[in-house]
Every structure is written in C-alpha cells, then in structure tokens.
Amino acid sequence: MRARGGVRPQSQAGGVGPMSTQGPLLEVRDLHVTYGAGTRAVRGVDLTLSAGQKLGIAGESGCGKSTLALALLRLLPASARLSGEILLDGEDVLTMKWGRLRAVRWAGASIVFQGAMHSLNPVHRVGEQIAEPVLLHSGSTAAAARRRAGDLLEQVGLPAGRADAYPHELSGGQRQRVMIAMALACDPRLIVADEPTTALDVMIQAQILRLIEQLVADKDISLLMISHDLSVLADTCDRLAVMYAGRVVEEGPADEVFTDARHPYGLALSAAFPRIGDAASRRAPRGLPGDPPDPSALPPGCTFHPRCPVALEECGTRDQVLREAGAGRRAACVRVGAAVPSPSPVPPA
C-alpha cells in the first residue's frame, strides 16, 4: 500500500490514530469513474485539499459531484469502475484493503449525505445510530458511547435527551443536525458534505451552514462541500471548483470564482443568482438553457460548447484543459487570457 506523509497506526478497535500534518490531507489525481459500458461520470479530476481548508464543488445535477464524493471513500456500487488515485493523508483509498478502508471511514473521513430522512434508520433511535460508529471505532463501552452521542447532539445544537427520538419525530433541520453529529462521532480530519442543505428551507439552511462553519473552525476539520448553489459555497468555502460533464472546468478562490468567473459555465452559474440591490439582475434573471450532456453520449470538443453563449468554431472540435487563469486560478476555456463576454440574459421560463 502506498504511504506518504505518514500513516495513522490502526488501533485494536479498528480505528486509526492521529493523522499526519505533512503534505495535503486529500489529493485526487486523474480520477475517472465509469458506469456500465461507457457512462463516464467523472473524467480526469484533479483536486487538492489542505488540512483545515474548505473546498467547494459546484455544478448542476448530472455533473458528477455526488459520484466524486462517494468515490472518495469507495462508496460507489460495484458496477462503477475507478482509476487514478485518491490519496487521503498519503494513502490511496482505491488500493486499501477492506479492513484498512473500514478503519479510515468515520475515523479518517466521514460524509454528511443529503436527505437525512433517507440516510437515518427509521427503526432505531438517533442516539443509537450516533453511538454505533463510536462503538466500532473507539472500543468504548456502550455507556460511554451513549454519553458521547449526547455530547455530540449538544455540539450540534440539540438537547442530549433527543437521543431517544426516532428520525420521524424530528424536523428536517434536526435530522440534518443528527447527520452532522454522526459525521463528527469519531473525530475525523475530513468531512465531505454532499448537498447538506438541499431539502431545507432557507432559514434552517442558514442555521446548518453556520453550524458547519463553526464546527469546522473549532475542530480544525477540513471540509469538502458539494452544492449546486454557487452563492452558498462562496460564502462557506476558501476555494471553489466548478464541475461540468464530469470534469473540473474552473478552480480558484471561492469569492473570485463567484464574482469574476473565467469560464462561461462559471459565469452562468453565478449569474443565476440575483444580487441584492441590483435591479437589473432582479428584473432580468439570467439562466442557462438546456441540461448537462448525457455522460454516456458526450459531445465532441469542449463538452460545454453546445450550451455556451460565447463558443467559437474550434470549441466543437478541440477539447479544453485547465490552464492558468490568474493567481491561484485555473479554467478550461479557449478564451482564458482574454475577456470572456458574459452570457446573454435568458428570459425566465
């Protein structure tokens, strides 16, 4: 097994000791994920996440974001074929043996899934579900695991007594807090949050986002957050990567990508959110017609060119790769280095 930057010693309980602080915490190198005969969901993704950093992944549904999230801990179905490298503190997740992978899940990295009601077991009390990974990974007694569950609930803003509740007895926001408590159960260094606020109303969404930010800061946890909402990621993350048709098409500081995108797709995502106080964007909201391409039938050339409002003739024949687009920024567009006109406003449907 590959090991760089130090390997965490595995405990007798199947957990892992403190992770190394040398080098990036997470490196994704040339990751490809293919389903069936040729459904290319992720195509050559490269990402780096440092300890304590917050990285956002943006894009429409069907761009490969959730597939990427699940691939990080090998949670994809058996039909998925993966290649490349996913280095978590120097160890390649794709080559880990089952025992090591089981130890790294929860204790090394954990996931907050979207739709907590579908992720929680409806016939078990939430306290039992939070305590389960503690029992499996730390070797704690049942009583200690129950106390830990209560402590975790209080950390996410719920009374410890709610540990006796079943999922259906909690509101959507409370269930999402339970999912966050579960993700924190074994003190991971990395949390992957896959659309953690999609099913929540705007007030609860704001509360959950502030909670995640506070916990990440207090516990010095790295965060990889996935969302279709560019404004949420710009407000929460340090850096932002925009995915389209299974590839990263733009990457850079989150606020810069949101306010001054260098790829036409990033521009379109940003323009879809009206600015407060900007009458023009309120009266003529922008959008992007059509949908991302079918990953089993990708168009030739740049995969975004059929929807791109500023495409050139060569975009239909020549694919684009990420190139420097400013300090700490990359974009996969033939116009990088020149001014990219904003997409034309699209009338509301």
Side-chain angles (χ1 to χ4, degrees):
M1 181 183 300
R2 183 185 295 101
R4 298 184 308 137
V7 178
R8 299 203 294 172
Q10 186 169 340
S11 70
Q12 291 182 350
V16 284
M19 295 184 78
S20 167
T21 58
Q22 301 177 21
L25 177 63
L26 175 69
E27 287 184 272
V28 179
R29 298 177 178 176
D30 194 28
L31 179 65
H32 293 258
V33 180
T34 304
Y35 297 101
T39 301
R40 301 162 65 193
V42 173
R43 303 182 299 131
V45 167
D46 293 288
L47 291 171
T48 300
L49 181 63
S50 301
Q53 191 179 47
K54 296 172 289 185
L55 173 65
I57 308 291
E60 298 167 278
S61 295
C63 285
K65 307 185 304 299
S66 292
T67 293
L68 172 62
L70 295 174
L72 296 180
L73 287 176
R74 273 170 49 190
L75 294 172
L76 293 169
S79 59
R81 301 193 304 278
L82 290 82
S83 64
E85 294 179 305
I86 301 173
L87 302 177
L88 184 59
D89 196 44
E91 292 185 84
D92 192 348
V93 172
L94 300 186
T95 61
M96 285 181 181
K97 294 183 178 180
W98 171 245
R100 179 59 180 160
L101 179 62
R102 183 174 179 270
V104 166
R105 291 173 179 171
W106 294 99
S110 59
I111 294 184
V112 178
F113 295 103
Q114 57 178 304
M117 193 63 186
H118 303 295
S119 302
L120 294 170
N121 191 321
V123 300
H124 288 284
R125 301 178 193 273
V126 296
E128 297 172 6
Q129 299 183 59
I130 298 171
E132 182 178 10
V134 179
L135 285 167
L136 291 174
H137 289 271
S138 71
S140 298
T141 64
R146 285 195 297 271
R147 288 194 298 271
R148 172 69 172 157
D151 292 342
L152 287 165
L153 286 174
E154 291 183 344
Q155 288 182 32
V156 299
L158 290 176
R162 298 304 278 163
D164 292 329
Y166 289 96
H168 71 273
E169 298 177 311
L170 302 176
S171 69
Q174 289 174 328
R175 288 194 293 267
Q176 201 62 44
R177 289 172 185 267
V178 170
M179 290 295 298
I180 296 171
M182 291 176 66
L184 295 170
C186 297
D187 293 319
R189 289 277 308 285
L190 169 65
I191 287 182
V192 179
D194 184 10
E195 303 267 16
T197 61
T198 295
L200 306 177
D201 63 63
V202 291
M203 294 297 291
I204 302 301
Q205 172 178 286
Q207 294 175 17
I208 295 299
L209 290 173
R210 297 291 81 81
L211 172 64
I212 292 174
E213 282 188 284
Q214 179 181 344
L215 291 169
V216 166
D218 291 347
K219 296 179 176 292
D220 195 28
I221 297 171
S222 297
L223 174 69
L224 192 149
M225 178 178 282
I226 293 172
S227 178
H228 62 277
D229 192 329
L230 209 64
S231 62
V232 164
L233 296 176
D235 189 46
T236 306
C237 299
D238 305 315
R239 294 186 62 79
L240 181 58
V242 178
M243 287 189 68
Y244 187 80
R247 279 187 177 173
V248 174
V249 297
E250 183 164 4
E251 182 185 6
D255 56 344
E256 295 182 23
V257 173
F258 182 56
T259 59
D260 183 28
R262 302 297 170 82
H263 192 282
Y265 182 59
L267 277 170
L269 289 180
S270 178
F273 300 95
R275 269 59 168 183
I276 295 175
D278 183 354
S281 69
R282 178 171 59 84
R283 293 170 184 165
R286 297 175 179 179
L288 191 62
D291 299 296
D294 183 341
S296 64
L298 295 172
C302 172
T303 53
F304 183 62
H305 88 269
R307 303 173 72 193
C308 182
V310 293
L312 303 175
E313 183 176 353
E314 65 181 283
C315 299
T317 58
R318 184 161 65 92
D319 202 356
Q320 299 298 316
V321 297
L322 287 168
R323 63 192 74 178
E324 295 299 319
R329 303 188 61 178
R330 298 187 300 164
C333 179
V334 69
R335 294 174 178 267
V336 168
V340 181
S342 299
S344 302
V346 176

